[in-house]
Amino acid sequence: MDKTNPGNFFEDFRLGFEIRHATPRTVTQGDIALYGALYGSRFALASSAEFAAACGLAPQPVDDLLVFHLVFGKSVPDISVNAVANLGYAEGRFGAPVHAGDTLIATSKVIGLKENANRQTGIVYVRTRGFNQQGETVLDFIRWVMVRKRDPHSEPPPAEVPETAPFVPAQNLLLPMGISFAHYDPVLSGSPHLWEDYRPGERIDHVDGMTIEEAEHMLATRLYQNTAKVHFNQHTEAGGRFGRRLVYGGHIISLARALSFNGLGNAVKIAAINGGRHVAPCFAGDTIYAWSRIEEAWDIPGRPDLGALRIKTFAAKDHACGDFPGDTDAHPQLVLEFDYTVLMPRRF
Amino acid sequence: MDKTNPGNFFEDFRLGFEIRHATPRTVTQGDIALYGALYGSRFALASSAEFAAACGLAPQPVDDLLVFHLVFGKSVPDISVNAVANLGYAEGRFGAPVHAGDTLIATSKVIGLKENANRQTGIVYVRTRGFNQQGETVLDFIRWVMVRKRDPHSEPPPAEVPETAPFVPAQNLLLPMGISFAHYDPVLSGSPHLWEDYRPGERIDHVDGMTIEEAEHMLATRLYQNTAKVHFNQHTEAGGRFGRRLVYGGHIISLARALSFNGLGNAVKIAAINGGRHVAPCFAGDTIYAWSRIEEAWDIPGRPDLGALRIKTFAAKDHACGDFPGDTDAHPQLVLEFDYTVLMPRRF
Amino acid sequence: MDKTNPGNFFEDFRLGFEIRHATPRTVTQGDIALYGALYGSRFALASSAEFAAACGLAPQPVDDLLVFHLVFGKSVPDISVNAVANLGYAEGRFGAPVHAGDTLIATSKVIGLKENANRQTGIVYVRTRGFNQQGETVLDFIRWVMVRKRDPHSEPPPAEVPETAPFVPAQNLLLPMGISFAHYDPVLSGSPHLWEDYRPGERIDHVDGMTIEEAEHMLATRLYQNTAKVHFNQHTEAGGRFGRRLVYGGHIISLARALSFNGLGNAVKIAAINGGRHVAPCFAGDTIYAWSRIEEAWDIPGRPDLGALRIKTFAAKDHACGDFPGDTDAHPQLVLEFDYTVLMPRRF
């Protein structure tokens, strides 16, 4: 009996199947420190328990993207160990805040399947949910990946492609219980720019760049217990597609988010992940830059203290973003488009 | 008066001497996160406080090998700072589980001494014990190292070589108080294979490989407060035996153990370290693979919920382990043989 | 409206201005672990909660230099983002101990301004204070940096250069509430040398060397939320002054301090930072060595259990320090002079 897990191939997925993922994971204060050291994030809510408490959030929630990576990581052994590419995300929505001490588990439901024309691969659509130890949903999102078939000649299932919303509408966002920006201190947070100061169409160059080291992206990816082989094994990758270990796409999302502090310092809470596309692969030695475009600004009814912004953050490698690469057309250095919604304090 | 510590030479050890090692070390939740990021371990017991509690272990014990490295590290300044080689381990047995918040100290007793024929070095055998702040033994083990003599002409002590057991017998294993796998969830743990599914002689290729970076092994070795110079100083090592910094052997043990999850996912608790041999040195850039052979499967009387497996895990560098290198004869890429005993849930 | 922060130029500083710095930061047990892994420090007080409690310090204080880096880091976006060089420190004094769970904020007051002769830059002197969530001062220090002018033709303010003390006098040192070395255990601490054993003028070679990796200094600098660009962006630095990322000077201070354990193992508590000079830049690949000279030994009136030592620790790169580089004249490999005061147990 073979004891090692070969992962699922396209043929192994059935529409409607629900998979309970392995490896429950207790989030600790160690994760907070390590996540900070990996990205240098300075958003005040995830940096300071006192600041969080002043925003009605005690105990302090951990960084939203740390939650995303942990939940995503759980799904990898079942969903994407045999994936060729991580194609997209949609309808990501954060629920109950996650605190040090919480234990996360995850499930995925297969919501779409479509064989590719070459019959070598197929696209698998799943809705992945992360839960805390009380069974509360902390995050759910749709992602779709291109997965190898075990046998190109096997019969495909009937094609089923789910409709996904282009973004999570404002009325569906979940506000963490108790959150209030009525006493928000924009000096402490590091930015004077509040919700009213951003206009749809506005573009912000985040200026700074961050170079990636092998040790860093591997530490991060292991922290998330993400087991995708391409990130870790130079002995194999030397003979692979790129000759090098591939950086986990989520690492680029977190780098871009940390860089975006310079210009979006009060975007302290991510409420939704509307979509994302890893436009090109990244490798150790690449320097990541980012810029953002404000897509929409939404009132939250009954909330004079906060509003929502839908933002698209673009990351490029080895290319400073003062020219807003990817804004109007494809750009050879573009590596990421990430569409998300944040909560931001208003003038009160 | 010279203030720096030259470490002990072979002549400094006396049979029966007991050494209290320095630097008490409080284990924190930060250690859990960092250990996770360094190896990507996914054994559920050390990953999840909830899973541990469901196994009767609350608060959650930290990874057994983290305990080993911390206790080992304490012994380095007194035992092996002037060592040429770390030759072997025996009779390692884990006792009281270690939790975040516990403070570890260690002692070593000299149990054997034997000058080598060349009179340049001698072998020192010690039994090292780690204790928590309540004085409970958390781990004890024998190791022997080859240590430089201060003076080749000095008179050696009478040779005394201790007999060491080939392995810790089942009846001597210590079960953590309260441990029960009666409600063990093999979906959450990530492997359907329980104790009954493993047979002595069975060989398991753990498939995946992990490449080592300088920053990673140095972070790990410093985390354990292991001060052996060869791991840290490229300026000196450039002119040394290998021209490069040597990776701490324990780093390879932890990498092999993390890789072994793929095939031994329910080997959640190490109860004993029966032996170990660092067959060849490792360096940054090496990719570590591992495979395991089941040596013995033991019933634990009165415990229908769990059994013990004695396992030998082999690690090789830059060589995938599908051909089980080292199984029947020496293999040039083999770097580690590690013989240990785990507790595993049974069908209940 | 430009949303990104260009940082302050020389013209933006006014004598007497007080700046509240951004990004409150909660210190966690994760910081303790990560700081340990970055430097391998073995001073018992910051390593063990039990040892700290036996010294009257419960809960356990975190490493003093971690506090320094965190407070320093907060000041960077306002003070030194446009700095050409970090010129010096003076009058640094530690106050209330910092524990895991504390949240740090910082302010800086401009206490001196002086345009340089070339009119391109000016020197800004600030007194920076770090506070915990109760408003207690945890550290205050003076530093001065050379900052670019926005416009060489702009009128400079009247020159004002503050007088700084050459060191913090013994009677101004702050002892943490409750501290007592009456029951100090020098076996556990790892050094038999107490306060009485050190004599002004004594020189100690700390022997060991530590090689720096890019991933390590970047992890450290991000952990401190220090945003100075030169540390992170190889894409820009490739065309810069050195062609490489510059290591944060504070990283060298912490490396030298960790190395100094070998010879100063009972210098468990830093009470003051009297001065410091980053003599030359450091880069990944450099191996740091250190040696120390005892400058002064002070009685603390009414304290038979402890005394103070003023120490100057020198760090050199790629040069073992047995010849005490920098002792009597300039040395090409010298990178750091760091003058500080420690508390040390006395024979009781």
Side-chain angles (χ1 to χ4, degrees), chain B residues 20-92:
Chain B
R20 282 177 69 214
H21 301 303
T23 316
R25 169 74 152 74
T26 301
V27 178
T28 71
Q29 294 181 346
D31 295 307
I32 298 174
L34 204 38
Y35 190 85
L38 286 164
Y39 305 108
S41 183
R42 288 181 288 145
F43 292 101
L45 207 57
S47 175
S48 166
E50 299 284 324
F51 193 95
C55 295
L57 302 174
Q60 179 190 11
V62 304
D63 195 287
D64 302 300
L65 290 178
L66 173 58
V67 175
F68 171 71
H69 297 316
L70 289 172
V71 172
F72 183 102
K74 300 215 164 314
S75 77
V76 167
D78 295 313
I79 305 300
S80 52
V81 137
N82 297 310
V84 181
N86 198 24
L87 297 174
Y89 312 99
E91 301 186 17

Side-chain angles (χ1 to χ4, degrees), chain A residues 158-239:
Chain A
E160 170 78 30
V161 175
E163 300 240 5
T164 59
F167 56 85
V168 178
Q171 69 270 21
N172 288 3
L173 299 175
L174 299 170
L175 299 199
M177 188 91 71
I179 194 171
S180 165
F181 291 154
H183 304 288
Y184 193 95
D185 180 340
V187 173
L188 272 189
S189 75
S191 167
H193 310 295
L194 304 185
W195 180 79
E196 289 84 349
D197 301 324
Y198 294 87
R199 290 281 169 271
E202 181 175 353
R203 301 176 308 179
I204 302 160
D205 173 17
H206 302 305
V207 180
D208 304 316
M210 185 74 72
T211 304
I212 302 169
E213 299 296 318
E214 297 282 12
E216 292 170 358
H217 76 83
M218 294 203 298
L219 284 169
T221 310
R222 285 186 300 240
L223 185 70
Y224 313 140
Q225 295 178 318
N226 179 329
T227 59
K229 299 159 198 268
V230 291
H231 309 313
F232 300 113
N233 186 331
Q234 184 56 35
H235 182 241
T236 297
E237 294 309 314

Side-chain angles (χ1 to χ4, degrees), chain A residues 212-214 217 242-247 252 280-288 317:
Chain A
I212 302 169
E213 299 296 318
E214 297 282 12
H217 76 83
F242 304 109
R244 286 178 289 174
R245 282 162 280 177
L246 194 64
V247 173
I252 308 303
C282 290
F283 307 98
D286 289 348
T287 299
I288 303 301
K317 64 179 179 184

